[in-house]
Structures are given as C-alpha cells and as structure tokens.
Amino acid sequence: MHLAYSAIGTTNNPQQNGTQQHEHENETLLRYDAYQLTCEKYRHEIAAIQKYIPGWEPKFR
C-alpha cells in the first residue's frame, strides 16, 4: 500500500519534551499498524475498486 511518509514523519519541535514526542511516535505507529491491518482485511474490496480506478489506494491520515 502507498505510505504517506509525511503522516508518519516526526517533527523536531523544540517545545515538545521527550515524553510528548514519544507518545506522538507511539500513536503514529499504532495508526500505521491499524492502516495496514485494515488494508489487509479489505484487500478484495480494494482490488475491486482498483479495477475501475487504477492506482487508487486508501489514504493514510
């Protein structure tokens, strides 16, 4: 699946302390894992959509 790298990139915001940055990274990884599992679960539906819209992929938010 297409991966939106900007959505999983970390920010170098000096105002965030280490704990907040770590929590943000954990949340991002959890969201990405959920995205992968969802794409796997609905792979047949995604393939059916791609017959009519070649190159279509679910967005990762």
Side-chain angles (χ1 to χ4, degrees):
M1 288 288 143
H2 175 70
L3 175 64
Y5 290 101
S6 62
I8 65 169
T10 58
T11 60
N12 292 325
N13 187 347
Q15 294 177 347
Q16 285 185 334
N17 65 27
T19 303
Q20 288 174 333
Q21 184 67 28
H22 184 68
E23 289 174 1
H24 174 72
E25 290 172 0
N26 284 341
E27 178 186 348
T28 302
L29 289 174
L30 287 172
R31 290 174 61 232
Y32 179 65
D33 286 342
Y35 172 79
Q36 285 185 314
L37 289 171
T38 302
C39 289
E40 179 63 26
K41 180 178 179 179
Y42 292 104
R43 68 184 181 276
H44 299 293
E45 289 82 355
I46 292 169
I49 292 169
Q50 288 175 339
K51 287 181 183 179
Y52 299 99
I53 307 171
W56 179 87
E57 296 175 346
K59 291 183 180 181
F60 175 70
R61 297 182 193 160

